[in-house]
Amino acid sequence: MASTRYEREATLRASEDAVRCVVALPDGRVVVGGSRDGDLEVWHRKLGRVMTLTGHEGTVRCALLTRAGVLVSGADDCTIKCWDLANGSCLQTLSGHAHGIELLAELSGDRLVSGTDGGGGTESALKVWGLRSGQCLRSLEQSIGLVCVMPLSDGRRIISCGFDLLLKVWDANDGSCLEAAYLPYHHITCLAQQLP
C-alpha cells in the first residue's frame, strides 16, 4: 500500500487562549477557530488572521457553517450566535438554554439543533431553532447530560445520546421521540452516519 506524504501549507497562530473548536470553509482557504476567551478568529491560509469575531462571554465550544454560508457558534454563555463572515457582524443571538452550548448541527429547512450537557441535570438538552426567525421551535428532553447529537440525512430526524446511556431518535418537526434504546455498559461519545 502506497503512503501519502502531506506537507504543511501554513501554521495559523491562535490567540493566547486555547482553541476549542475549528470550522473550515468548503474551499479550505479559510478556517475559523473558537477559543476560551469567547472570540472566534478567522484565518486565511495565506494571509493569516484576517478577522476576530467578538460577542460571546464564555468559551466557544462549537461552531458550524450552514449551507447558506452563515457561521454559527455556541458558547458557555448559553447563547448561539450567527455571523456574517463577509463583514464580521453578528446577525442574531439565540438564547434559551440554561447551560453552555456543547453541540450544534444543521437541519433541513433553515433549522438548527443545539445541545447542552445540562450541567449534569435534567435540562432540556436539545433545542430546535428556526434560523430565519431566531425562535426556539421545540425542546427535546434528553434525560441526563447530552454527549452527542447527529441529524440524519433526511433532515427531519435527529439521533442523540447522553450520560443516561439512552440512544434516542427524534422527529425534529414535532419533537416526538420515535425510538429509544438503552445501551448498558456502552458509553457513546460520538455518532457517524454512513452515506449511500
Side-chain angles (χ1 to χ4, degrees):
M1 181 155 102
S3 65
T4 303
R5 184 169 178 213
Y6 296 97
E7 293 183 27
R8 181 179 63 218
E9 186 172 325
T11 300
L12 306 172
R13 300 260 179 229
S15 66
E16 307 257 334
D17 272 318
V19 174
R20 300 300 302 238
C21 62
V22 176
V23 175
L25 275 63
D27 66 7
R29 292 183 299 182
V30 176
V31 175
V32 180
S35 63
R36 263 193 334 208
D37 63 8
D39 291 344
L40 290 122
E41 295 184 13
V42 181
W43 296 287
H44 186 280
R45 72 176 184 214
K46 301 263 189 230
L47 303 174
R49 185 180 313 137
V50 293
M51 185 184 321
T52 300
L53 309 175
T54 59
H56 281 296
E57 295 178 14
T59 299
V60 178
R61 298 216 173 257
C62 51
L64 65 80
L65 186 70
T66 68
R67 289 182 281 278
V70 174
L71 177 70
V72 181
S73 59
D76 281 352
D77 62 5
C78 306
T79 66
I80 299 162
K81 293 190 178 289
C82 300
W83 305 90
D84 181 340
L85 284 175
N87 61 24
S89 65
C90 180
L91 302 171
Q92 64 181 333
T93 300
L94 312 177
S95 300
H97 279 290
H99 299 282
I101 312 302
E102 299 279 341
L103 305 162
L104 294 169
E106 186 177 17
L107 300 170
S108 64
D110 280 333
R111 294 176 303 159
L112 175 79
V113 62
S114 61
T116 174
D117 73 2
T122 58
E123 184 234 346
S124 292
L126 292 171
K127 293 189 182 295
V128 178
W129 303 88
L131 284 175
R132 286 192 186 141
S133 69
Q135 299 299 309
C136 178
L137 305 175
R138 58 200 36 78
S139 294
L140 313 174
E141 188 72 40
Q142 180 74 35
S143 304
I144 300 173
L146 184 69
V147 176
C148 52
V149 64
M150 180 184 72
L152 293 177
S153 59
D154 64 9
R156 182 182 64 84
R157 293 175 295 158
I158 305 165
I159 297 178
S160 69
C161 58
F163 294 127
D164 55 6
L165 303 179
L166 283 174
L167 182 86
K168 294 182 178 181
V169 179
W170 303 93
D171 185 319
N173 294 335
D174 64 16
S176 63
C177 181
L178 303 171
E179 294 182 52
Y182 178 63
L183 305 170
Y185 314 112
H186 293 86
H187 185 75
I188 298 171
T189 58
C190 63
L191 295 167
Q193 180 175 196
Q194 183 175 348
L195 298 175

